[in-house]
Amino acid sequence: MDAGHMLSVTALPDDTWRVFTEPPPDLPDQLSENEISDRVLSEFSRRSGVSLDTVTDIRWASEFRIHRRLADAYRRGRILLAGDAAHLQSPTGGQGQNTGLGDAENLAWKLVLVARGRAEQRLLDTYEGERRPLARKVLRATSTAVDIMLPHDPWKRLLRDKVVLPVVRLPAVQRRLWLAASQLGISYRGGPLAPASPRWMRGPRPGDRMPDLACRRLDGGQTTLHAAISGRWVVLAGDQHDAARHAEAAAAQLGADLVLALTPIEPHSHDVVLIRPDGHIGWRDHPAPDKLTAWLTQVLRPA
């Protein structure tokens, strides 16, 4: 890559290559497929030194324009939006797919409870309250990434090549980018189902995604937390008796087939944790089934 327009080349199976290049500022509004091919191949040859004679076939050529959209609302009565119907952004980092899957994961368990009569329809309103702020952040982040990686000004391209890209290649930065792109670090803290937690609380709080850990079922069988969730609510407690009685309290509200009790194999917090089917913490407190019941009542059937 030089200080000119970005060129990306990816090797695909069967001696096929995918070539992507940033368009020049004076690009006409409409180009034919042949014109696009000529421009891309010319830039590819200039930058790589590969002769155009080595290209034997062009299977597909297209002009791609980035759209940025965010729906004003995710729900209107019985109509609910998710995925690309709710938000559109740059494909940078695969964020559109990850955000859409997160939408479905968040909405699914709420729809199940409403359809079974376990929760009032107002629970569905929390879907927008939790997911739309995240989509706004993703939209802003991907737009910023495009502005940084595909700048039009020469001095910005020089800054990208000499400063931004070397920093992005650092292992610590790569880890942070992976966490952001995978969306495994998102939290619903402060959202409609996760009000502020006490300051003394250490570790994951309500709204956070619960990290995976080795667990034991009440029958003694071993599993991992994320493998055991599988669309269910999980009560996690260090003591089997606490796990059983809190699971019973949760099952009375959610249904016995949707609740599973686990104990961590390694020493864990003395708190009891209720983990939602999407892997995020719903409730966490000292052992107290009555408090868990009160929280579920507030979530499922708000006053």
Side-chain angles (χ1 to χ4, degrees):
M1 181 184 300
D2 58 28
H5 296 292
M6 176 176 285
L7 179 74
S8 171
V9 181
T10 305
L12 302 177
D14 302 325
D15 292 326
T16 303
W17 296 80
R18 180 175 61 203
V19 181
F20 164 82
T21 183
E22 176 189 2
D26 59 348
L27 182 71
D29 291 337
Q30 296 292 332
L31 288 176
S32 67
E33 184 172 331
N34 287 337
E35 289 174 323
I36 294 172
S37 300
D38 291 343
R39 284 175 177 264
V40 173
L41 290 179
S42 176
E43 184 69 8
F44 171 65
S45 178
R46 183 183 72 83
R47 301 277 285 277
S48 66
V50 175
S51 172
L52 293 179
D53 295 337
T54 61
V55 179
T56 59
D57 179 43
I58 300 176
R59 298 186 180 180
W60 180 65
S62 177
E63 176 188 357
F64 176 79
R65 295 183 182 273
I66 295 174
H67 296 273
R68 301 182 177 105
R69 302 286 188 271
L70 179 61
D72 293 333
Y74 279 23
R75 182 191 179 203
R76 284 290 184 267
R78 294 171 62 86
I79 299 176
L80 294 131
L81 302 180
D84 288 352
H87 42 75
L88 284 174
Q89 60 275 319
S90 162
T92 302
Q95 294 295 278
Q97 181 181 29
N98 290 345
T99 310
L101 290 172
D103 291 344
E105 189 178 47
N106 183 285
L107 179 59
W109 66 264
K110 299 172 182 179
L111 282 172
V112 167
L113 293 176
V114 172
R116 289 188 174 192
R118 294 281 181 175
E120 296 183 2
Q121 288 201 20
R122 279 180 289 180
L123 177 64
L124 300 179
D125 294 330
T126 67
Y127 163 60
E128 177 181 323
E130 290 190 324
R131 295 300 299 176
R132 192 173 183 277
L134 172 67
R136 189 187 301 115
K137 291 180 181 178
V138 171
L139 186 63
R140 184 166 55 245
T142 54
S143 297
T144 300
V146 170
D147 292 340
I148 292 175
M149 299 307 294
L150 300 176
H152 291 302
D153 296 332
W155 70 269
K156 289 183 179 180
R157 292 197 292 270
L158 183 62
L159 182 65
R160 173 198 65 194
D161 297 343
K162 302 300 183 182
V163 178
V164 175
L165 292 181
V167 170
V168 167
R169 295 189 184 103
L170 296 175
V173 177
Q174 287 283 310
R175 285 193 295 270
R176 290 182 65 87
L177 291 175
W178 176 87
L179 188 63
S182 66
Q183 298 189 16
L184 295 179
I186 67 171
S187 175
Y188 300 131
R189 285 190 196 182
L193 299 181
S197 305
R199 293 184 178 180
W200 51 261
M201 186 176 289
R202 296 178 178 273
R205 302 185 178 198
D208 294 348
R209 191 173 192 273
M210 185 69 183
D212 200 12
L213 68 164
C215 296
R216 186 174 284 110
R217 295 187 293 269
L218 296 187
D219 63 7
Q222 294 189 13
T223 183
T224 61
L225 173 62
H226 289 175
I229 290 177
S230 189
R232 291 174 291 189
W233 295 71
V234 172
V235 172
L236 186 70
D239 178 80
Q240 281 200 348
H241 177 66
D242 285 337
R245 64 195 185 107
H246 284 80
E248 183 178 356
Q253 300 268 28
L254 302 167
D257 62 324
L258 292 181
V259 179
L260 178 67
L262 297 175
T263 58
I265 292 178
E266 297 294 330
H268 198 258
S269 166
H270 295 295
D271 288 349
V272 178
V273 181
L274 179 66
I275 302 155
R276 306 175 352 178
D278 58 6
H280 289 260
I281 298 175
W283 176 87
R284 176 187 166 189
D285 207 333
H286 298 308
D290 57 332
K291 289 186 178 181
L292 174 56
T293 297
W295 181 83
L296 281 171
T297 300
Q298 179 183 0
V299 168
L300 303 177
R301 292 173 291 277

